[in-house]
Amino acid sequence: MSAEVVGGIRANSLAILTDAAHSDVAAFAISLFTFSAAGWEATPRQSYGSVRIEVLGALVDFVNIVMALVLGHDHGHDHDHEQHGTGHSHGMTVTTHHDNHHKYSKDEHCHAHEEHVETLLDKKEARHEKKRSNINVQGAYIHVPGDSIRIIVLSTAIKMLRNILAVLMESTPREIDATKIEKGLFEMEDVVAIHELHVWAIAVGKILLACHVKIRPEANADMVLDNVINYIRREYSIGHVTIKIER
């Protein structure tokens, strides 16, 4: 935000200053609110608490980032067009006033003077043209890292959107292999079958698991239950586990 303020002042750009004033401040405000709200205690109405509000806040941040990128990109192109237009608008008009009362006595002097003026104008125009070329090249060099930063931010935002959608769709987290969990539970002693296995997250990093475990008729249900829960917590660090034992 500080960089945008300094850059906006130096570039005399109201768009950059406006972006610094609302984009980053809004992102900080949303993050602080969701961080606080996520710690609210669970209620009969909200049995899991309000941890999922973090996901909603992240979704708002994603929209904010995309809007900032789009507006910044459009502003950059508009600024480039303005620079090109200004660069090509420079010119010089030379008007020669002839006075009948004052004439050179020799045509050679007049011709030499005209050639000298034309040479000076050509040199001056060449310097202007070189300066314009340098400005355009500098603008291109500035535009390239700007686009690179925009790509990095966009790739991070896309990754954030993927995590948001995974939580909202209650997908199995990428770091969890549900097939491997099912295989590990099935290989445990006295376990006959595993079904209704569900692994999902109500917020990023807060994973839940529920499944039905079918055991042998003569097995100790309490012992199998403890073994299953300990295995899941030890191997996959899933703290919220709901297991139904069936014979």
Side-chain angles (χ1 to χ4, degrees):
M1 184 170 61
S2 300
E4 283 188 316
V5 170
V6 174
I9 294 174
R10 295 192 62 180
N12 195 25
S13 173
L14 183 62
I16 298 177
L17 289 172
T18 304
D19 181 69
H22 75 84
S23 300
D24 300 322
V25 173
F28 279 124
I30 292 170
S31 299
L32 289 173
F33 172 73
T34 55
F35 181 78
S36 175
W40 294 348
E41 294 183 0
T43 64
R45 180 72 175 174
Q46 301 289 339
S47 59
Y48 283 117
S50 301
V51 291
R52 185 160 284 190
I53 199 171
E54 292 181 353
V55 181
L56 298 178
L59 183 60
V60 175
D61 273 339
F62 172 79
V63 175
N64 190 25
I65 290 171
V66 172
M67 289 179 63
L69 288 175
V70 172
L71 293 176
H73 187 264
D74 291 342
H75 172 72
H77 279 294
D78 291 341
H79 187 61
D80 288 341
H81 290 317
E82 290 175 3
Q83 283 186 338
H84 287 303
T86 304
H88 290 289
S89 65
H90 289 294
M92 181 176 291
T93 302
V94 179
T95 304
T96 304
H97 296 280
H98 297 280
D99 193 339
N100 294 329
H101 297 285
H102 300 279
K103 294 183 178 179
Y104 286 100
S105 59
K106 293 182 180 179
D107 293 338
E108 290 82 0
H109 289 174
C110 183
H111 183 66
H113 178 70
E114 290 177 355
E115 286 185 348
H116 181 66
V117 172
E118 289 176 359
T119 302
L120 291 177
L121 291 175
D122 290 341
K123 289 182 179 180
K124 192 170 184 179
E125 184 63 27
R127 287 197 298 269
H128 278 292
E129 187 65 31
K130 185 176 180 180
K131 186 176 181 180
R132 285 199 299 269
S133 299
N134 291 338
I135 291 174
N136 291 333
V137 171
Q138 291 173 1
Y141 277 119
I142 293 173
H143 195 69
V144 169
D147 285 343
S148 301
I149 295 173
R150 197 172 290 117
I151 291 172
I152 294 172
V153 173
L154 185 59
S155 63
T156 305
I158 291 174
K159 183 179 179 181
M160 183 172 71
L161 178 62
R162 187 166 60 239
N163 293 332
I164 292 170
L165 293 178
V167 173
L168 295 179
M169 296 298 295
E170 296 188 348
S171 304
T172 301
R174 293 179 176 271
E175 65 270 21
I176 301 295
D177 188 346
T179 304
K180 188 176 179 181
I181 293 178
E182 184 176 6
K183 183 180 179 181
L185 294 177
F186 180 74
E187 292 175 350
M188 295 181 68
E189 187 179 359
D190 294 328
V191 174
V192 176
I194 302 292
H195 60 96
E196 297 294 333
L197 175 63
H198 300 284
V199 185
W200 72 103
I202 59 173
V204 178
K206 190 171 182 61
I207 304 173
L208 288 72
L209 182 147
C211 72
H212 293 196
V213 179
K214 190 173 183 179
I215 63 175
R216 301 181 186 278
E218 67 277 9
N220 187 324
D222 292 335
M223 184 178 294
V224 174
L225 179 62
D226 290 340
N227 292 338
V228 168
I229 293 176
N230 291 333
Y231 170 78
I232 294 173
R233 289 179 175 174
R234 182 180 68 252
E235 296 295 328
Y236 299 96
S237 301
I238 301 177
H240 195 105
V241 181
T242 302
I243 306 295
K244 181 180 179 181
I245 299 294
E246 299 176 349
R247 293 189 183 275

